[in-house]
Amino acid sequence: MLARIHVTLKNGVLDPQGKAIENTLQNMGFSGIDAARQGKYIELDLAETDRAKAEAHVDDMCRKLIANTVIENYSFTLE
Amino acid sequence: MKSAVIVFPGSNCDRDMAVALTKITGQKPIMVWHQEHDFEAVDFIALPGGFSYGDYLRCGAMSARSHVMKEVIKRANAGVPTLGVCNGFQILTETGVLPGALMRNSGLHFVCKDVELTVERQDTIFTSGYAQGRNITVPVAHHDGNYFADTNTLDQLEGDGQIAFKYASDINGAQRRIAGITNKAGNVLGMMPHPERMIEAPLGGSDGRIIFESVMNRLG
């Protein structure tokens, strides 16, 4: 089973890298960008075949290492 | 004072810390590799600066989950004076021993210079040698020193007197200019500036030395 995990900064947490991306895109002439936020994307190839177990397992891994819940949110899909 | 310096792959201030501790305490610290599960009893634990695990995932994220940190957390929570400098501070926040997180500097630049700090608390084991409100000069060298915590946590840190040092002026976007905080019990200090690089005149000053001397005086 493949877990696709997205980690993003919480709202209200300053994201200077996202801001730099936004500014550079605007400097390049791209318009209509209200905001850019930078995050992380992580794939885990799991041996687990039971969906419910995999979900609990990935959630545990996200909370304990992959995301720092002080500043980040996470979400994931399984397929 | 018997001390230990914890060494992670990518630590690069571990030897600076060892030199400072040797000069100030007169005793060489033991150097403890991150894969150790246990180490001999010490009076003081130092988590040095550097770029442990190449700052992969988040600064300090991997180190915080290393074998040796389980033992460090146990001892820190049991009251052993523990100092985390720079990457060491990041590791302590990643373990949850200290609240908050260290994020990318707001200006995106690596900041490497001597900075002025205000001593916010004089009544901790690390700062008793300073006069309250005094300004000291200590170098910083970091890319991710922008201290973040939610408003409730920041209010609680201020209310409980856990902010040990603030930057005299903003250098990295840190909330409330926080440069260093202690845990509630006051035996764990995390700070982005490097006191071990300011321990004698040839290094540019000795303001950092007082942190180590304060702990030493307290331990007797």
Side-chain angles (χ1 to χ4, degrees), chain A residues 9 12-14 16-17 20 40 42 63-68 70-72, chain B residues 57-58 61-62 65 93-94 100-101 103-108 146 148-149:
Chain A
L9 285 173
V13 174
L14 181 72
Q17 293 176 102
K40 297 184 185 108
I42 294 155
R63 276 187 294 105
K64 289 183 177 163
L65 174 68
I66 292 171
N68 178 345
V70 174
I71 47 171
E72 294 169 328
Chain B
L57 192 64
R58 296 178 304 275
M62 305 298 173
R65 280 92 183 162
T93 60
E94 276 285 337
M103 304 192 54
R104 181 53 48 98
N105 294 342
S106 58
L108 290 173
N146 175 357
F148 178 88

Side-chain angles (χ1 to χ4, degrees), chain B:
Chain B
M1 181 172 91
K2 200 170 161 114
S3 53
V5 177
I6 312 298
V7 185
F8 302 94
S11 294
N12 65 7
C13 301
D14 47 327
R15 282 165 291 177
D16 294 22
M17 185 64 83
V19 169
L21 285 168
T22 306
K23 284 195 172 185
I24 297 164
T25 70
Q27 245 182 306
K28 260 193 173 169
I30 57 167
M31 307 300 279
V32 183
W33 184 235
H34 69 119
Q35 285 173 327
E36 300 294 336
H37 290 258
D38 200 3
F39 53 97
E40 58 189 285
V42 293
D43 307 308
F44 178 79
I45 300 171
L47 299 168
F51 299 85
S52 60
Y53 290 89
D55 284 347
Y56 289 175
L57 192 64
R58 296 178 304 275
C59 302
M62 305 298 173
S63 303
R65 280 92 183 162
S66 62
H67 290 310
V68 77
M69 282 308 295
K70 290 196 183 84
E71 182 63 22
V72 171
I73 292 166
K74 202 164 80 184
R75 295 192 194 190
N77 287 335
V80 175
T82 303
L83 170 68
V85 170
C86 202
N87 192 219
F89 184 15
Q90 295 163 340
I91 293 168
L92 286 172
T93 60
E94 276 285 337
T95 61
V97 170
L98 293 176
L102 280 313
M103 304 192 54
R104 181 53 48 98
N105 294 342
S106 58
L108 290 173
H109 289 289
F110 192 96
V111 180
C112 184
K113 60 180 181 183
D114 290 351
V115 297
E116 228 177 293
L117 305 177
T118 311
V119 179
E120 296 290 316
R121 302 290 297 193
Q122 187 266 335
D123 54 349
T124 79
I125 59 168
F126 302 96
T127 57
S128 58
Y130 295 113
Q132 177 111 15
R134 183 191 150 184
N135 278 16
I136 60 170
T137 303
V138 183
V140 294
H142 61 247
H143 211 168
D144 299 82
N146 175 357
Y147 183 80
F148 178 88
D150 61 45
T151 306
N152 287 344
T153 305
L154 292 168
D155 288 344
Q156 180 253 310
L157 285 173
E158 290 208 290
D160 291 347
Q162 287 178 246
I163 302 174
F165 300 105
K166 285 188 178 184
Y167 302 109
S169 59
D170 180 30
I171 61 156
N172 55 19
Q175 301 278 310
R176 303 190 192 181
R177 287 188 281 107
I178 289 173
I181 56 170
T182 67
N183 62 345
K184 238 180 200 160
N187 68 299
V188 179
L189 169 66
M191 60 191 294
M192 289 311 296
H194 288 268
E196 80 282 8
R197 295 192 192 170
M198 215 44 138
I199 59 150
E200 55 193 0
L203 297 177
S206 55
D207 282 350
R209 186 181 187 97
I210 294 168
I211 289 181
F212 303 98
E213 286 175 345
S214 297
V215 177
M216 215 165 62
N217 289 340
R218 180 63 64 97
L219 293 172

